[in-house]
Amino acid sequence: MAEVYYVGVDVGTASVRAALVTREGLLKTTAEEPITIWKPQPEHYVQSSTEIWQKCCSVVKVQSDQVRGVGFDATCSLVVLDESFQPVPVTQDGEHHKNVVMWMDHRAAEQADRITNTGHRVLNRVGGVMSQEMQPPKLLWLKENLKDSCWNKAAHFFDLPDFLSWKATGSTTRSLCTLVCKWTYCPSAGWDSSFWTIVGLEDLLENNFSKIGSETCPPGSPLAGGLTPQAAADLGLNPGTAVGASLIDAHAGGLGVVGADVQGFDLPCEGWPITTRMAMICGTSTCHMAISEQPKIVPGVWGPYLSAMVPDLWLNEGGQSATGRVFFISHFRVPFTGADVYPYLNSHLAQMAGSPPDVDLLGSSIHVWPDFHGNRSPLADPTLKGMVIGLPLSQTVDDLARLYLATLQALALGTRHILESMKEAGYDIRTLFLCGGLSKNLLFVQIQASATALPVVLPDQSEAVLVGAAVLGACASQDYGTIQVQSHTHLLHHVSILDSFIFYDRKYKVFLQLFSHQREYQALMKHR
């Protein structure tokens, strides 16, 4: 029998990637293209949906009759189109191709605060605080600041994942993942008209909310008749190839790892339901995804979201904004070595620590507060800024290595803070499942294990986000059942070949990261 494939397409913050995935969930080929980010003003980050779709077509182009389904995931950015589905500019310069307000665009801080101050009941589903990284404040900013050039011309507001599935199929049906997580939609009740009215966006109620989505479906549901002839020609696939309703990129990563079968490794989550696992998707930002059978309200943590990642289960989503873009992690290179900063500094820290290496203590003299782009969870305070204490006058490689280590440790303590908040709300997280770019840095992974006192599992197939996107196409093709069934069987079972699982399990042995005593750490957590 001929091999069967599924295509997963992932639109991240700075690049578009695609993978050809086998029936067993193994990557056959991958491709990647960069995408442009414009920063026309401070806190404004914009992209072009036209360029993004062109790059999607460029990375797919597989010319294979054996592709049974396609799935898309993307950042939760806002795409604006007119009545003819043409781009509408979201910048004051009026350049039409700049029609995407990126997820990390923080122009709508004041609008987000106003929405939070309404105290509306929908805020109970987003941790009590409306984030400027969600869509309602961005929509309100466009109405108040670009009414003539953007708002009055806009006929369609898409989350970027839904834009991609529309571009592929012509269907304007939205995924529950995007609408529930970023737009305040409730699967059981639909749109809450009173919310949109009280925040000043009552014009979106027109025509049964057609501008933001009249029809919805769970992720992985087949859309329309599959690929349109034009989209199929653009992608190099056959017309009618199944396309699954999309996911936000972090949720695709969560889907790609959280259901993996790890029997026989004596993990704390073995024999317990999937609700004892947390998926951490560590990319430009870090998302902490946990699911539950009943809704749990966690202050400062997004959710509970019903059916946003796995059908009929509730999702809570913590996060750390811009972790992969913290300046001394992502921007440094070591010019005199020609090497990438991560392996070089990891090796240098091991040399500094001696034999046997105990890298943890090297960061005890320098302290980092990592919220350079605000705190997403659990403080939910976008106004926070980063801080470094203990910088010496010298500028040696040792100094750079300690600063880098202290940053990794600070991010790990942020994870611990999120876990503690979720535990107080009733979660019993026993194991962490990591994927994404930062998870390829083994020191980052080790420090997460040390700070949380939890084992960390990495999948053998390192591109779990792409596999998660491919699962959507597999479900849409009808080759498998629902995502919920899928998460316990073929594709996700084989996402990580069991013999190749990597585990990190260092206990929290008075882990000296920011402070020298456990009681000081606990005091910090109490007053954050």
Side-chain angles (χ1 to χ4, degrees):
M1 187 172 104
E3 180 66 276
V4 169
Y5 299 108
Y6 308 96
V7 171
V9 182
D10 165 51
V11 179
T13 299
S15 67
V16 176
R17 303 181 303 150
L20 198 61
V21 179
T22 70
R23 193 180 185 92
E24 291 74 32
L26 303 177
L27 299 179
K28 182 174 177 63
T29 58
T30 62
E32 183 172 5
E33 290 273 2
I35 48 179
T36 307
I37 300 174
W38 291 278
K39 188 178 179 183
Q41 298 181 47
E43 302 297 338
H44 290 220
Y45 295 89
V46 300
Q47 291 180 317
S48 164
S49 66
T50 301
E51 181 195 42
I52 289 172
W53 178 251
Q54 290 171 345
K55 294 300 178 71
C56 288
C57 297
S58 176
V59 295
V60 174
K61 284 293 182 184
V62 291
Q63 300 293 340
S64 174
D65 293 331
Q66 296 164 274
V67 172
R68 295 272 300 155
V70 182
F72 295 91
D73 73 75
T75 63
C76 49
S77 301
L78 176 66
V79 181
V80 186
L81 304 177
D82 65 15
E83 189 70 39
S84 302
F85 292 92
Q86 297 303 306
V88 176
V90 296
T91 58
Q92 292 178 329
D93 59 22
E95 295 186 73
H96 281 75
H97 64 286
K98 299 177 182 177
N99 71 315
V100 179
V101 183
M102 292 185 67
W103 67 269
M104 62 183 184
D105 187 303
H106 279 194
R107 72 179 72 179
E110 192 267 333
Q111 286 77 12
D113 287 343
R114 271 193 276 141
I115 293 173
T116 296
N117 290 337
T118 67
H120 195 277
R121 57 179 172 264
V122 302
L123 298 173
N124 292 331
R125 300 195 292 269
V126 293
V129 178
M130 175 58 64
S131 169
Q132 55 199 328
E133 294 180 8
M134 294 182 176
Q135 307 303 6
K138 293 177 180 177
L139 292 167
L140 187 56
W141 189 96
L142 293 175
K143 180 177 181 179
E144 294 177 344
N145 293 274
L146 298 177
K147 189 167 185 177
D148 293 333
S149 63
C150 176
W151 187 258
N152 290 341
K153 296 178 180 179
H156 305 280
F157 297 102
F158 285 102
D159 221 270
L160 182 54
D162 290 322
F163 165 80
L164 296 174
S165 58
W166 164 77
K167 193 71 175 174
T169 67
S171 171
T172 58
T173 298
R174 268 54 165 202
S175 168
L176 284 177
C177 177
T178 59
L179 292 195
V180 172
C181 293
K182 306 301 175 184
W183 298 73
T184 75
Y185 186 85
C186 177
S188 59
W191 294 110
D192 191 322
S193 299
S194 66
F195 168 73
W196 298 99
T197 301
I198 199 172
V199 301
L201 293 171
E202 63 282 351
D203 30 351
L204 294 178
L205 276 61
E206 297 174 1
N207 195 22
N208 191 28
F209 294 91
S210 62
K211 289 185 178 181
I212 57 176
S214 301
E215 297 182 4
T216 66
C217 66
S221 302
L223 293 174
L227 289 178
T228 65
Q230 182 61 59
D234 292 343
L235 294 165
L237 299 171
N238 293 331
T241 300
V243 177
S246 57
L247 282 168
I248 298 168
D249 54 349
H251 301 65
L255 180 64
V257 295
V258 77
D261 185 350
V262 294
Q263 298 245 345
F265 288 90
D266 197 28
L267 287 170
C269 65
E270 187 172 333
W272 290 81
I274 198 172
T275 54
T276 61
R277 305 177 178 197
M278 174 181 281
M280 286 180 56
I281 297 80
C282 312
T284 305
S285 63
T286 298
C287 295
H288 302 72
M289 322 284 283
I291 53 180
S292 61
E293 294 182 357
Q294 300 297 325
K296 298 181 187 298
I297 295 177
V298 188
V301 172
W302 295 344
Y305 299 138
L306 179 61
S307 297
M309 186 170 74
V310 180
D312 301 321
L313 292 178
W314 296 85
L315 171 71
N316 281 99
E317 179 185 349
Q320 295 167 295
S321 192
T323 53
R325 294 174 64 89
V326 175
F327 74 95
F328 32 76
I329 290 183
S330 63
H331 293 176
F332 273 128
R333 292 295 180 269
V334 186
F336 50 84
T337 67
D340 185 78
V341 63
Y342 299 110
Y344 179 87
L345 291 179
N346 290 353
S347 175
H348 191 80
L349 284 166
Q351 294 175 14
M352 291 171 62
S355 182
D358 193 357
V359 171
D360 297 345
L361 300 180
L362 294 175
S364 60
S365 63
I366 185 168
H367 316 312
V368 173
W369 188 274
D371 297 329
F372 288 80
H373 203 53
N375 182 284
R376 187 185 298 173
S377 301
L379 302 181
D381 186 349
T383 66
L384 285 177
K385 303 300 179 185
M387 179 173 61
V388 182
I389 299 175
L391 287 174
L393 192 60
S394 58
Q395 295 180 333
T396 66
V397 177
D398 285 3
D399 296 324
L400 175 59
R402 289 191 184 94
L403 177 58
Y404 161 70
L405 174 64
T407 303
L408 296 182
Q409 293 172 339
L411 294 175
L413 283 178
T415 294
R416 185 180 176 96
H417 194 191
I418 292 168
L419 281 166
E420 289 173 347
S421 297
M422 298 184 79
K423 181 178 180 180
E424 290 177 4
Y427 273 99
D428 179 22
I429 303 299
R430 295 166 175 257
T431 307
L432 304 180
F433 291 74
L434 268 61
C435 67
L438 279 178
S439 71
K440 299 174 184 178
N441 182 335
L442 298 187
L443 181 60
F444 172 85
V445 174
Q446 181 64 76
I447 291 173
Q448 292 285 330
S450 296
T452 62
L454 294 175
V456 175
V457 181
L458 297 182
D460 177 66
Q461 297 296 299
S462 60
E463 302 296 348
V465 175
L466 285 169
V467 174
V471 167
L472 301 173
C475 290
S477 72
Q478 309 294 306
D479 290 349
Y480 299 92
T482 68
I483 285 177
Q484 190 165 8
V485 172
Q486 189 68 20
S487 67
H488 298 289
T489 56
H490 299 288
L491 278 178
L492 286 184
H493 177 85
H494 291 287
V495 169
S496 299
I497 305 304
L498 298 187
D499 291 342
S500 301
F501 258 146
I502 304 171
F503 296 98
Y504 294 84
D505 190 5
R506 282 182 58 188
K507 296 303 179 184
Y508 188 87
K509 48 180 180 55
V510 192
F511 185 56
L512 305 182
Q513 295 182 0
L514 300 185
F515 298 92
S516 58
H517 299 289
Q518 175 74 348
R519 63 178 179 273
E520 293 174 328
Y521 166 77
Q522 292 172 337
L524 171 68
M525 293 296 99
K526 181 178 180 180
H527 292 100
R528 281 186 70 167

